[in-house]
Amino acid sequence: MSKLLEGKFALVLGIANKWSLAYAIAQAFSREGATLGLTYLGDRQKPVVEELAADLNVAAILPCDVTKDEDLAALTASLQAMNRPVHAVMHSLAFANREDLARPFLETSRAGFALAHDVSAYSMVAVARAVAPVMTEGGSISTLTYIGSTRVVTNYNVMGVAKAALEASTRYLASELGERNIRVNAISAGPVKTVSARGIKDFSSILDSISSRAPLRRTTDPAEVGDTAVFLASDLGRGVTGNCLFVDAGMSIMGV
Ligand code: IMJ
């Protein structure tokens, strides 16, 4: 069997540790024959990403704080210096202040709202602009979202509003980048135990209720998110852009 991403170069942003969905995606990309570029946030994360990269087909490990324009400019420069086009980009990052995911949404501060939107939504626009010049053969940019963008999920709060902005940004980017044969999509993953879920109140009971109520009677496996990311990044996804694919064991179709 030939591999789905053979000969492709894929950039993955957002690996924090081995539980990250970004890591499951990088593993799936690597399995399918892609050469990877990985980014990390801050000096503390560098050795973690380096260690995880050891088992993957990684050609470059680059620093990138998406809230810094100079980091994004340096990312473009590093990718240009590699002298090979980028075919796939996975944006798998988000952040909101912890207190904004625990207090009433009504109490969200201007600064907290801005931070969540900067890191979790605007970064998709900034990353797309940074990578587009090196996506000279066309390709695919994907992001991760969550159903809290369109439905009220307890405590998701400002992250839900930021994910709504991220999903809308995905559509606008898709409409503009389509003429360069760059597709832009989102994957809406069901809850997974990652650092992003750590400390979230009643997370275990959320997982339990999905296990009993979701059509597939189980929670989402990170590898399933990885395989959907492969589909979008591969030629199999060539007709899909501006869309949001739910990889959630079917949970989003359920009513009460
Ligand atoms: C996050 C908050 C509240 C409910 C939640 C989540 N549910 C799920 C998540 C039900 C599944 C995880 N999720 C989908 C996220 O997008 C999480 C983003 C996030 C998490 C943290 C925790 C640590 C921190 N800031 C964060 N910023 C964003 O300090």
Side-chain angles (χ1 to χ4, degrees):
M1 262 285 276
S2 67
K3 295 177 177 182
L4 289 168
L5 301 178
E6 201 77 67
K8 292 192 196 285
F9 184 63
L11 181 71
V12 178
L13 304 96
I15 298 180
N17 56 44
K18 65 177 167 183
W19 294 283
S20 298
L21 288 173
Y23 180 51
I25 291 161
Q27 286 176 299
F29 281 3
S30 198
R31 180 196 74 216
E32 293 300 333
T35 300
L36 303 181
L38 307 180
T39 73
Y40 63 91
L41 174 62
D43 293 339
R44 241 185 41 186
Q45 229 55 44
K46 188 179 182 184
V48 179
V49 173
E50 281 173 344
E51 197 176 311
L52 294 173
D55 297 330
L56 305 174
N57 188 18
V58 173
I61 300 178
L62 308 163
C64 188
D65 177 341
V66 293
T67 65
K68 299 205 166 96
D69 288 337
E70 55 273 29
D71 276 29
L72 289 156
L75 180 67
T76 304
S78 300
L79 293 170
Q80 274 165 342
M82 292 185 75
N83 265 316
R84 61 184 298 182
V86 171
H87 302 97
V89 177
M90 189 70 219
H91 171 280
S92 180
L93 32 94
F95 187 80
N97 286 326
R98 185 168 275 289
E99 66 257 32
D100 289 332
L101 303 174
R103 290 184 315 196
F105 176 65
L106 186 63
E107 306 301 327
T108 309
S109 68
R110 191 184 301 275
F113 189 100
L115 174 66
H117 282 71
D118 189 16
V119 178
S120 314
Y122 180 72
S123 65
M124 177 67 168
V125 184
V127 166
R129 193 168 58 248
V131 298
V134 289
M135 295 184 76
T136 51
E137 296 179 352
S140 158
I141 305 175
S142 301
T143 187
L144 284 184
T145 187
Y146 181 58
I147 197 167
S149 62
T150 46
R151 316 268 182 89
V152 173
V153 173
T154 306
N155 292 325
Y156 202 57
N157 299 0
V158 74
M159 270 310 307
V161 183
K163 290 299 195 187
L166 174 68
E167 291 171 23
S169 299
T170 297
R171 291 186 284 272
Y172 280 92
L173 291 170
S175 87
E176 291 185 4
L177 294 173
E179 64 189 5
R180 296 192 228 179
N181 200 28
I182 298 170
R183 297 176 292 104
V184 189
N185 293 286
I187 297 172
S188 189
V192 172
K193 268 192 182 161
T194 67
V195 266
S196 284
R198 195 179 291 162
I200 288 154
K201 212 168 155 282
D202 299 327
F203 197 74
S204 292
S205 63
I206 292 169
L207 293 178
D208 289 347
S209 98
I210 287 166
S211 298
S212 60
R213 295 169 51 219
L216 296 179
R217 300 297 192 275
R218 57 176 179 78
T219 57
T220 300
D221 177 353
E224 297 166 347
V225 178
D227 287 349
T228 298
V230 166
F231 160 74
L232 287 172
S234 78
D235 198 49
L236 296 181
R238 66 193 177 279
V240 183
T241 195
N243 235 301
C244 178
L245 278 63
F246 285 82
V247 180
D248 66 346
M251 193 62 213
S252 63
I253 69 165
M254 300 304 290
V256 282

